[in-house]
Amino acid sequence: MAVSARPAERPYTLLSCCISLDGYLDGASGPRWVLSGAADLDRVDALRAGCDAILVGAGTIRRDDPRLLVRDQERIGERLARGLSASPIKVTLSSSGELPPEAAFFRAGDGLKLVYCPTATADRLRTQCDGRATLVEVGERVDVRRLSEDLYARGVRRLMVEGGGSVLTQFLVGDLADELQLAVAPVFVGDHRAPRFVGEGDFPWGPDRRARLVEARPVGDVVLHRYALSGRYGLP
């Protein structure tokens, strides 16, 4: 399936992740580090329930195998009562075409799943998706601005981006994020091989353009920081 014509708009985009005190998303090796506590995971579940789509990179799928589903039954019931699917649309992007067919991204949930990829890897991914996801070819490379605009054309008005670091960096460097919800866990990773929150890039926010902090509060034993990154902050 080819990408639809580029519309002028994109979804309200919320970036969400939890990091260690030294700025890492996970440990360097071994089992995944669950940095969020129970209260913060419930907060994230509520965020998911209020979104139309959730996006993660292919690396996050390979590393963490997330289900990307709303878990709370009351929230699921509220979505269903509004005529929505139980969980938001799942979205990923893959440049390499490396997506495990057994991933929970494909197996868990009955909602729509979208995989954005370059034309060069489309045949490989088509085999891996095996009809369980809609493949969206985007030409030579995946551009997150075009991806965002295509999601808007498909009816996505509120997009939640959960990682990993490469994808978060692309949205931030592209000035495509309206809100950042950054939870900081009271732990250190202490290993430069571990995945960082963001990589290098020409970020729009610096000494002359500071992100606006709109909230800082404890959620269990983590501290949530909410930043307004655009003039669209707070749109429903």
Side-chain angles (χ1 to χ4, degrees):
M1 178 179 291
V3 172
S4 56
R6 292 181 63 181
E9 298 186 76
R10 62 174 179 82
Y12 182 90
T13 302
L14 163 68
L15 274 52
S16 172
C17 66
C18 186
I19 63 172
S20 65
L21 286 169
D22 49 348
Y24 292 98
L25 293 165
D26 197 356
S29 60
R32 177 192 173 203
W33 287 39
V34 180
L35 298 177
S36 293
D40 191 55
L41 290 172
D42 185 66
R43 176 190 66 82
V44 172
D45 191 65
L47 284 178
R48 287 180 176 178
C51 290
D52 300 312
I54 304 171
L55 184 149
V56 297
T60 296
I61 292 175
R62 291 191 296 268
R63 183 184 183 95
D64 299 337
D65 195 25
R67 292 168 54 84
L68 304 178
L69 301 177
V70 176
R71 300 181 181 186
D72 182 82
Q73 291 301 312
E74 183 174 343
R75 292 173 186 140
I76 290 173
E78 290 172 353
R79 285 182 59 89
L80 294 174
R82 291 161 51 202
L84 303 174
S85 58
S87 292
I89 297 167
K90 296 184 189 182
V91 184
T92 191
L93 57 154
S94 175
S95 295
S96 67
E98 303 262 349
L99 276 178
E102 70 279 5
F105 178 91
F106 297 115
R107 293 185 293 102
D110 298 325
L112 179 63
K113 305 165 182 74
L114 298 172
V115 178
Y116 289 80
C117 71
T119 301
T121 60
D123 287 343
R124 180 178 185 180
L125 278 168
R126 192 170 288 109
T127 299
Q128 293 174 341
C129 292
D130 192 26
R132 295 174 295 175
T134 298
L135 197 64
V136 187
E137 298 180 37
V138 294
E140 292 186 5
R141 67 182 184 90
V142 180
D143 177 90
V144 291
R145 182 177 294 276
R146 289 190 63 196
L147 179 154
S148 296
E149 293 171 349
D150 187 69
L151 286 174
Y152 188 92
R154 297 171 187 269
V156 174
R157 296 296 178 266
R158 191 171 182 88
L159 171 65
M160 183 174 179
V161 181
E162 294 196 30
S166 175
V167 171
L168 293 169
T169 300
Q170 290 177 62
F171 273 88
L172 290 166
V173 168
D175 205 1
L176 297 170
D178 301 297
E179 179 179 348
L180 170 64
Q181 296 203 16
L182 183 68
V184 180
V187 300
F188 289 90
V189 172
D191 191 329
H192 71 277
R193 299 170 300 169
R196 296 199 68 88
F197 162 40
V198 292
E200 296 181 358
D202 185 12
F203 295 92
W205 302 275
D208 297 326
R209 181 188 173 188
R210 300 169 71 93
R212 179 165 63 93
L213 178 66
V214 294
E215 181 183 17
R217 63 180 172 91
V219 181
D221 69 348
V222 309
V223 177
L224 170 66
H225 302 78
R226 294 180 64 187
Y227 293 93
L229 300 182
S230 82
R232 304 204 305 168
Y233 173 80
L235 289 179

